[in-house]
DNA sequence: GCCAGCTGCGCACACCGTACGCTGGGCGCT
DNA sequence: AGCGCCCAGCGTACGGTGTGCGCAGCTGGC
């Protein structure tokens, strides 16, 4: 801090305090603040400078704790995976409801942090993150105790995960669009309507499907659509049981 | 090309030719070149300057034909969707094989252009692109002629699409990692092995699943895994038929 | 022959990720 | 007690990025 600006009246009050006034700067702190920034303003707003600023630090200070921006994001993502709940009920016969709850938890987590959608495709799944491994192991356990053929449990798992992430990703992308436009979901749908109708002009089935959904609560429709697909996937998996 | 340096000796030979020597610059041309660049070097390599350079034009010239980079990407994505084949066999009873072929075509398209994965999450699905609409309509047609309950066909469609994109996205992300590291898939897996094994130390089921896959051809395993999940999803959908 | 309109371009701005080398405080050793 | 090392944090700088703006020159219509 010894560098001198043309600052006029340097005094005890303007001069930075000696010593580390904050508990310094830690990887956990950085990731936590990054998450706050991401949740508030989305993926585009995350820059090393802004993040450093929020922590009362310079941009390049962060590099002492994190190799680069990509690694920071990887850490943030796995931190989020920590929010996913996988609870196994005592009776393995309840595997369907367990899996259902788990799938909803995964979806809800993604929708709570829609910026995830933008990075999942560049990251795969950061398969080796500790929190994700915890989730996979728990779900794998759920499936095997439900007497899923041992060699199949992992494939069943990735089937379900693919469905949930695929669905939630496209929902999250839509939420991102909403957030950027600042509109309410209901009114955004209404505004998109004419464009959609025109685009679907030569496609009778699509047009009918659209007009059937007109007026329904879009959020509820998303939820119901998710549940429908989830039920189908679980139906499909169930055929392999026993 | 016609671009001018700080020229010393202006002459007929250095002076830009009169008239448009190229068919100028069109949106189609721009999108086509963008696709070439994306396929060759991935999403990070796509910059307006580089793209302009490849077309013998300045970066900002592109903005005459495209509103901004995001719109350009949207166009590129829908262009890619044009590669998806949806063929309906004459007999509606074959809906499963039709859907299977279609799902494989979608997956193959994504894997042929792995940069798609990075972008799908920010785009949703660019639902209104003409090519995507063509694909949806065709698949919807396939499902309804297979006697799917009319109100359900669209939900069935999005279930299947969610599964396929979810699966293919995570595969594509892996392919992106591979491409960046320049390694062969087989050797990359082998190199990742120790890290994976250590990360899975406290997770017996994961560890077993890993070691079961050791030595198998990873590419074939991906294909088989995809087919497995696809069969399950179709099983699940089939329960709703009739 | 002239004029309008449009295309492409150069420049500029604000911002990005991050390599590098300095500084100054805290800690452990002598 | 004194010294020296280590290392967190910072300032600066470099080579990029997307894109707004206003100019120049060609082209087609009169």
């Amino acid at each position: 801090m010894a560098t001198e600006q043309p600052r006029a009246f340097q005094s005890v009050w303007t001069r930075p305090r000696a010593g580390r006034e904050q508990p310094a700067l830690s990887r956990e702190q950085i990731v936590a603040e990054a998450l706050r920034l991401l949740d508030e303003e989305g993926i585009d707003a995350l820059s090393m400078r802004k993040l450093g600023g929020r922590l009362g630090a310079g941009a390049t200070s962060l590099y002492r704790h994190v190799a680069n921006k990509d690694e920071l994001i990887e850490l943030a993502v796995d931190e989020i995976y920590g929010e996913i709940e996988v609870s196994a009920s005592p009776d393995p016969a309840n595997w369907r409801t367990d899996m259902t709850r788990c799938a909803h938890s995964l979806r809800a987590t993604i929708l709570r942090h829609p910026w995830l959608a933008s990075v999942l495709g560049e990251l795969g799944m950061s398969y080796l993150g500790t929190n994700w491994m915890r989730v996979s192991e728990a779900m794998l356990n759920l499936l095997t105790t439900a007497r899923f053929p041992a060699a199949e449990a992992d494939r069943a798992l990735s089937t379900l995960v693919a469905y949930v992430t695929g669905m939630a990703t496209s929902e999250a992308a839509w939420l991102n669009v909403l957030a950027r436009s600042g509109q309410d979901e209901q009114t955004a749908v209404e505004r998109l309507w004419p464009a959609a109708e025109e685009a679907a002009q030569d496609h009778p089935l699509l047009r009918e499907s659209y007009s059937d959904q007109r007026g329904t609560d879009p959020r509820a429709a998303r939820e119901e659509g998710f549940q429908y697909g989830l039920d189908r996937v679980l139906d499909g998996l169930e055929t392999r049981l026993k």
Side-chain angles (χ1 to χ4, degrees), chain A:
Chain A
M1 216 32 69
T3 63
E4 276 311 301
Q5 266 94 335
R7 188 173 298 129
F9 303 107
Q10 187 82 283
S11 91
V12 217
W13 309 110
T14 64
R15 186 163 30 79
R17 295 265 309 283
R20 298 275 159 276
E21 24 204 326
Q22 300 290 4
L25 200 56
S26 73
R27 175 181 280 202
E28 290 74 25
Q29 219 184 30
I30 292 174
V31 172
E33 191 64 41
L35 285 178
R36 227 163 294 140
L37 183 50
L38 284 166
D39 286 341
E40 288 169 16
E41 310 192 40
I43 191 75
D44 292 335
L46 178 65
S47 82
M48 299 306 267
R49 281 177 234 264
K50 197 187 291 202
L51 180 57
R54 276 181 166 231
L55 289 161
T60 59
S61 306
L62 308 175
Y63 286 90
R64 291 278 163 200
H65 302 90
V66 152
N68 51 37
K69 193 184 181 183
D70 286 350
E71 185 181 304
L72 171 61
I73 291 181
E74 230 165 308
L75 290 170
V77 169
D78 195 64
E79 191 72 20
I80 293 296
Y81 286 155
E83 298 178 10
I84 303 170
E85 299 169 27
V86 194
S87 59
S89 55
D91 184 358
N94 290 339
W95 72 276
R96 259 190 93 122
T97 62
D98 285 346
M99 284 305 254
T100 300
R101 184 163 33 233
C102 186
H104 274 104
S105 175
L106 174 52
R107 168 173 178 264
T109 301
I110 296 179
L111 296 188
R112 227 179 296 122
H113 311 280
W115 51 269
L116 265 177
S118 327
V119 297
L120 280 187
E122 326 206 31
L123 218 53
M125 187 99 294
S126 70
Y127 286 114
L128 300 181
T130 61
N131 275 323
W132 181 254
M133 296 214 98
R134 174 189 60 84
V135 171
S136 324
E137 177 80 9
M139 291 179 80
L140 225 41
N141 180 45
L142 226 148
L143 288 168
T144 54
T145 63
R147 301 198 182 290
F148 244 88
E152 268 185 50
D154 58 341
R155 280 186 292 201
L157 173 59
S158 57
T159 300
L160 195 130
V161 169
Y163 167 70
V164 176
T165 55
M167 207 73 166
T169 294
S170 101
E171 289 186 71
W174 164 244
L175 293 186
N176 283 332
V177 172
L178 279 190
R180 254 192 286 278
S181 81
Q183 289 172 339
D184 171 53
E185 179 161 11
Q186 189 76 252
T187 70
V189 166
E190 215 56 45
R191 266 203 212 196
L192 215 59
W193 193 257
E197 197 152 44
E198 193 196 322
Q201 208 156 21
D202 304 332
H203 304 295
L205 296 173
L206 277 174
R207 221 172 46 207
E208 191 182 322
S209 157
Y210 284 177
S211 68
D212 281 355
Q213 284 180 18
R214 179 122 207 214
T216 68
D217 176 15
R219 185 192 155 95
R222 282 194 284 112
E223 232 126 70
E224 204 206 12
F226 177 76
Q227 183 65 52
Y228 174 89
L230 180 55
D231 285 337
R232 294 297 78 71
V233 172
L234 292 175
D235 284 348
L237 292 177
E238 197 162 8
T239 64
R240 305 289 301 175
L241 264 190
K242 180 197 56 66

